Amino acid sequence: PKQHQLPIVALVCNLASRSDDINTGGAILSHGEVETLLHEFGHALHSLLSRTSFQHLSGTRAPIDFVETPSHFMEHFAWEPQFLRLIAPSSMLLDEGILSTLVSTRYAFRGIDVRTQILYALFDQALFGTFYPHGQQQQQQNPSLYHSTQFFALLHQQHNVPYAEGTHWHTRFGHLVTYGAGYYGYLYSQVFALDIWKTRFAVATSDVVAGDDDKHDDVMSRREGTRLWKDMLIHGGGKDPNVMLRDVLGRAPNVDTFFDRA
């Protein structure tokens, strides 16, 4: 029988401390921290649940425009009342009003967020790829325009995204180094993650086994979780993402769910 080296994964977190931590016996995370923790936990699951023949194709060693799919998928749990009630401390009362208000804020400013992600992807392409917003000839004639800070500011102006003059935010943008012309995959993967979430976890379909209490529209569905594991996570980077997505979704992925958030 095949033997696999079991993965070891650690999430090293930088979470804010709060004055009431001592009284509660543990840290109380903000909702934003919960969402970030789940995102990184998605990466951890990708590695923990992967079983591949080659080590260098296991877990997150996957195509860069697909690898963020499990992490973006896990973020959706942070906006599900059923899950939030499960992880909330027993002393914290999460009534329907609080949860409803929280969920209703999810897509506030989403438009500017997506536009900003596109801007970052274009900036990444300009630094590491062959993308020239004004053409290669103009770049050669006016190289000062392509000073990284000036160019970053220019992209904000072109895409109507607010920019703080005198700042150099991109110098602390770690993904610019780790992605190298592949940062577009961060937003690209959100499309796949939301398609999986809406198709397999958040929307009821006729794909229910008679007498099965594990309903398809249950976000904690064991059956759908197993499907995600066996059809996608287990393969790491050892299988074509297009094939894995088709297996999970039962069809080719599409962008419709990304724009239809109702």
Side-chain angles (χ1 to χ4, degrees):
K2 286 186 176 181
Q3 292 185 345
H4 293 90
Q5 178 182 344
L6 296 180
I8 300 176
V9 181
L11 293 182
V12 182
C13 304
N14 182 19
L15 304 172
S17 60
R18 288 170 176 79
S19 59
D20 59 352
D21 288 354
I22 297 178
N23 298 326
T24 60
I28 302 299
L29 306 184
S30 69
H31 182 259
E33 288 173 330
V34 171
E35 186 177 35
T36 300
L37 182 61
L38 287 170
H39 177 101
E40 303 306 333
F41 186 60
H43 288 307
L45 284 178
H46 204 179
S47 291
L48 288 170
L49 299 179
S50 175
R51 296 293 184 272
T52 60
S53 298
F54 300 99
Q55 179 267 348
H56 62 280
L57 293 176
S58 66
T60 56
R61 297 174 178 89
I64 201 164
D65 52 6
F66 172 78
V67 72
E68 291 286 348
T69 301
S71 53
H72 283 308
F73 169 82
M74 288 300 298
E75 287 184 25
H76 291 289
F77 284 99
W79 297 93
E80 281 296 327
Q82 180 184 358
F83 178 78
L84 292 175
R85 291 192 191 94
L86 182 66
I87 66 171
S90 56
S91 59
M92 183 180 294
L93 299 178
L94 296 179
D95 61 34
E96 289 298 330
I98 293 176
L99 290 175
S100 177
T101 300
L102 175 65
V103 172
S104 69
T105 66
R106 179 171 191 181
Y107 297 120
F109 308 108
R110 179 58 175 166
I112 192 70
D113 179 50
V114 171
R115 186 177 297 181
T116 301
Q117 288 298 317
I118 293 173
L119 184 153
Y120 293 162
L122 290 174
F123 185 65
D124 179 49
Q125 289 285 308
L127 293 183
F128 296 100
T130 58
F131 168 72
Y132 299 100
H134 296 296
Q136 187 171 4
Q137 183 177 1
Q138 184 171 345
Q139 185 211 27
Q140 294 170 346
Q141 294 173 351
N142 188 9
S144 63
L145 180 63
Y146 290 80
H147 180 284
S148 62
T149 300
Q150 295 174 4
F151 179 57
F152 196 55
L154 175 65
L155 282 175
H156 281 73
Q157 296 168 11
Q158 291 177 337
H159 295 275
N160 199 28
V161 176
Y163 177 74
E165 295 291 343
T167 62
H168 308 272
W169 182 88
H170 60 289
T171 61
R172 58 165 295 277
F173 189 23
H175 282 318
L176 282 179
V177 178
T178 56
Y179 278 70
Y183 185 74
Y184 74 91
Y186 197 83
L187 183 59
Y188 197 62
S189 295
Q190 289 184 30
V191 176
F192 304 140
L194 187 56
D195 203 5
I196 294 171
W197 179 261
K198 286 237 177 176
T199 302
R200 286 297 171 196
F201 288 81
V203 179
T205 73
S206 59
D207 184 22
V208 178
V209 180
D212 190 352
D213 293 332
D214 186 22
K215 296 180 180 179
H216 183 81
D217 60 345
D218 180 1
V219 297
M220 305 298 290
S221 169
R222 182 182 182 88
R223 184 177 66 253
E224 295 307 324
T226 300
R227 184 201 302 268
L228 186 67
W229 172 29
K230 295 296 186 178
D231 288 345
M232 189 173 80
L233 298 177
I234 198 171
H235 300 295
K239 193 173 183 178
D240 186 341
N242 289 298
V243 176
M244 290 189 284
L245 288 168
R246 281 181 175 272
D247 290 343
V248 173
L249 294 166
R251 56 165 172 76
N254 64 66
V255 75
D256 293 344
T257 50
F258 186 77
F259 295 103
D260 179 18
R261 299 176 177 275

